[in-house]
Amino acid sequence: MQQGIQELLKNYSGILLLLFGITVGSIIGIVAPNIVDYLKPLGDIFLNLLFVSVVPLVFFAVANSVSSLEQQSKFGKIMLIMCFTFLFFIITAALFTILVVYFFPVSGVSASKEVVEDAVNNDSWGNRIVSFFTVGEFTQLFSRQNMLALLIFSFMTGFSARKAGEQGKAFRVFIASGYEVMKELLLMIMKVAPIGLGAYFAYQVATLGPQLFGFYAKPLGLYYIAGVVYFLLFFSLYAFIAKGKNGVKSFWQNAIYPTLTALSTCSSFATMPANLQAAAKIGVPSQVANLVIPIGTTLHKNGSSMSSIIKIYVAFLIIGRDFFDPMNLLLALGITVFVSIVAGGIPNGGYIGEMLMISVYQLPQEAIPAVMIIGTLVDPLATVLNSVGQLVASMFVSRFVKV
């Protein structure tokens, strides 16, 4: 009995400590909001350490996965199934949210008077497309703001290392070694996660908590209820398709840590190490997990898909237009897929997508504050759906690829 308890504590000590840190941080944020500004630097230091470590991990993980796949057909199959999975999950989340707002409409929403401080990016679409996929200097690749460019470079490096054959063997060994080293570094940094995430959570509760009960309560309540239902129901369904009843059990046993990390940091990027660890425990092959999770962190976002629909719906309520017009719904799905792809894995990173939405629908300026504020307030749950979605997606892909 005592040995069983010790084993339980050993297996769940990380989660229990993280829960303790988040709980303490939440209490501090509620009862002593005046001191959260002094605690926030602890959270920022932890996140900064995490970010600078995850960037090289992404490079080594993706490059190593590509270079270690010996069969060209196997690699192509993984990529094809991964793309199909991402698109299927994103559209399913969007359609589910459309049904929710149709059967549970929101009323009494009008424009906010707050001034938007974030400047709109006026670059041409050509320049934006170039910046999404490439950077002008090699050193710029290793910035979390250029994740898509880094993923493409990592993918090409791994492919080139594999094509180099015997002459590329030493480089492939270096990539594999680098991946193992970066995993150990991240495990070391995650030891202080309860302190860092607790401090960051205290700041979130103190700054965002009061707004949830004000003007945006109705659309936010709708999003959070729909998001929780989607999280529990659809992720369980995806896990069941992947590995049956045992897959559902294994998924929820190992999804706790990524969920708490995402909830605390509001960053899909910061949750990536927890997802990779969870995927290994579930039994997802490393060749699949090391591709699906890093690439999905940038290109696959269930939570952003749902929040995009909610934001478009609220913007239409503000200006008195019919959201459920067939053409508007088709545009909403198109925008949602795009937003889910371009929104980076960083806190509150969806502003480019929001500006795209305003532009496509030619919405008036008064709709911008409501859209941005809702985007910020739904970020915690959206990040959970985005981040943990990568874990269940890796299970889903592994179901159809035998590595």
Side-chain angles (χ1 to χ4, degrees), residues 1-20:
M1 180 68 177
Q2 186 176 0
Q3 186 177 358
I5 294 175
Q6 289 176 346
E7 188 69 22
L8 183 68
L9 290 174
K10 180 182 178 181
N11 292 336
Y12 289 92
S13 60
I15 294 173
L16 293 173
L17 287 172
L18 194 61
L19 274 173
F20 178 74

Side-chain angles (χ1 to χ4, degrees), residues 162-309:
R162 188 176 62 177
K163 287 202 70 176
E166 188 63 28
Q167 291 180 320
K169 183 177 180 180
F171 187 76
R172 291 195 297 273
V173 171
F174 163 71
I175 293 174
S177 177
Y179 172 58
E180 294 299 325
V181 170
M182 295 315 302
K183 278 202 305 184
E184 290 301 319
L185 175 60
L186 279 162
L187 287 173
M188 186 168 58
I189 293 173
M190 291 304 291
K191 297 287 186 184
V192 297
I195 297 173
L197 297 184
Y200 203 79
F201 208 79
Y203 178 79
Q204 279 194 325
V205 169
T207 53
L208 291 183
Q211 298 182 56
L212 294 175
F213 302 99
F215 172 78
Y216 300 96
K218 290 183 179 179
L220 286 175
L222 192 65
Y223 178 84
Y224 275 88
I225 292 171
V228 170
V229 170
Y230 183 86
F231 181 64
L232 297 175
L233 180 62
F234 281 83
F235 282 11
S236 295
L237 176 62
Y238 297 149
F240 179 79
I241 294 173
K243 291 193 173 185
K245 291 182 180 180
N246 291 333
V248 176
K249 181 180 179 181
S250 180
F251 170 74
W252 287 115
Q253 283 178 339
N254 292 283
I256 299 173
Y257 198 18
T259 299
L260 293 176
T261 304
L263 189 63
S264 304
T265 62
C266 282
S267 173
S268 302
F269 198 50
T271 311
M272 195 189 307
N275 270 333
L276 289 169
Q277 291 178 39
K281 292 180 180 178
I282 290 172
V284 178
S286 60
Q287 295 96 323
V288 174
N290 290 345
L291 279 177
V292 174
I293 292 174
I295 293 175
T297 299
T298 297
L299 301 180
H300 168 232
K301 301 182 182 303
N302 294 274
S304 295
S305 175
M306 297 183 70
S307 68
S308 175
I309 295 296

Side-chain angles (χ1 to χ4, degrees), residues 33-360:
N34 55 311
I35 69 169
V36 296
D37 286 335
Y38 300 100
L39 295 177
K40 187 173 180 289
L42 293 175
D44 290 336
I45 290 171
F46 169 73
L47 287 183
N48 286 343
L49 286 171
L50 203 57
F51 286 142
V52 298
S53 303
V54 170
V55 169
L57 174 66
V58 169
F59 170 74
F60 284 115
V62 174
N64 182 53
S65 293
V66 175
S67 66
S68 63
L69 285 170
E70 297 297 334
Q71 299 178 16
Q72 177 70 24
S73 58
K74 183 78 59 144
F75 173 72
K77 187 176 182 180
I78 291 176
M79 295 299 293
L80 181 64
I81 293 175
M82 180 185 69
C83 292
F84 171 79
T85 299
F86 289 171
L87 191 61
F88 173 65
F89 283 13
I90 289 171
I91 293 177
T92 300
L95 290 174
F96 172 72
T97 312
I98 289 173
L99 288 176
V100 168
V101 298
Y102 179 79
F103 287 107
F104 303 95
V106 173
S107 59
V109 177
S110 59
S112 169
K113 301 298 182 182
E114 295 186 32
V115 178
V116 179
E117 297 178 354
D118 299 276
V120 178
N121 188 341
N122 291 316
D123 283 348
S124 69
W125 278 108
N127 289 338
R128 292 186 190 184
I129 290 172
V130 170
S131 65
F132 286 155
F133 294 101
T134 58
V135 292
E137 297 286 345
F138 177 78
T139 54
Q140 294 174 358
L141 279 172
F142 297 95
S143 166
R144 71 176 188 270
Q145 296 177 353
N146 299 316
M147 280 298 298
L148 187 54
L150 176 62
L151 286 170
I152 292 172
F153 179 78
S154 305
F155 169 86
M156 294 173 66
T157 300
F159 187 75
S160 300
R162 188 176 62 177
K163 287 202 70 176
E166 188 63 28
Q167 291 180 320
K169 183 177 180 180
F171 187 76
R172 291 195 297 273
V173 171
F174 163 71
I175 293 174
S177 177
Y179 172 58
E180 294 299 325
V181 170
M182 295 315 302
K183 278 202 305 184
E184 290 301 319
L185 175 60
L186 279 162
L187 287 173
M188 186 168 58
I189 293 173
M190 291 304 291
K191 297 287 186 184
V192 297
I195 297 173
L197 297 184
Y200 203 79
F201 208 79
Y203 178 79
Q204 279 194 325
V205 169
T207 53
L208 291 183
Q211 298 182 56
L212 294 175
F213 302 99
F215 172 78
Y216 300 96
K218 290 183 179 179
L220 286 175
L222 192 65
Y223 178 84
Y224 275 88
I225 292 171
V228 170
V229 170
Y230 183 86
F231 181 64
L232 297 175
L233 180 62
F234 281 83
F235 282 11
S236 295
L237 176 62
Y238 297 149
F240 179 79
I241 294 173
K243 291 193 173 185
K245 291 182 180 180
N246 291 333
V248 176
K249 181 180 179 181
S250 180
F251 170 74
W252 287 115
Q253 283 178 339
N254 292 283
I256 299 173
Y257 198 18
T259 299
L260 293 176
T261 304
L263 189 63
S264 304
T265 62
C266 282
S267 173
S268 302
F269 198 50
T271 311
M272 195 189 307
N275 270 333
L276 289 169
Q277 291 178 39
K281 292 180 180 178
I282 290 172
V284 178
S286 60
Q287 295 96 323
V288 174
N290 290 345
L291 279 177
V292 174
I293 292 174
I295 293 175
T297 299
T298 297
L299 301 180
H300 168 232
K301 301 182 182 303
N302 294 274
S304 295
S305 175
M306 297 183 70
S307 68
S308 175
I309 295 296
I310 291 287
K311 287 182 284 189
I312 294 172
Y313 175 64
V314 170
F316 271 54
L317 287 177
I318 290 172
I319 63 175
R321 285 171 59 181
D322 182 16
F323 172 73
F324 296 103
D325 177 88
M327 184 56 67
N328 289 336
L329 288 177
L330 284 174
L331 275 175
L333 284 175
I335 291 172
T336 294
V337 171
F338 187 81
V339 167
S340 300
I341 291 173
V342 303
I346 56 177
N348 304 319
Y351 291 138
I352 292 176
E354 290 163 359
M355 290 300 98
L356 170 67
M357 181 185 76
I358 297 294
S359 173
V360 168

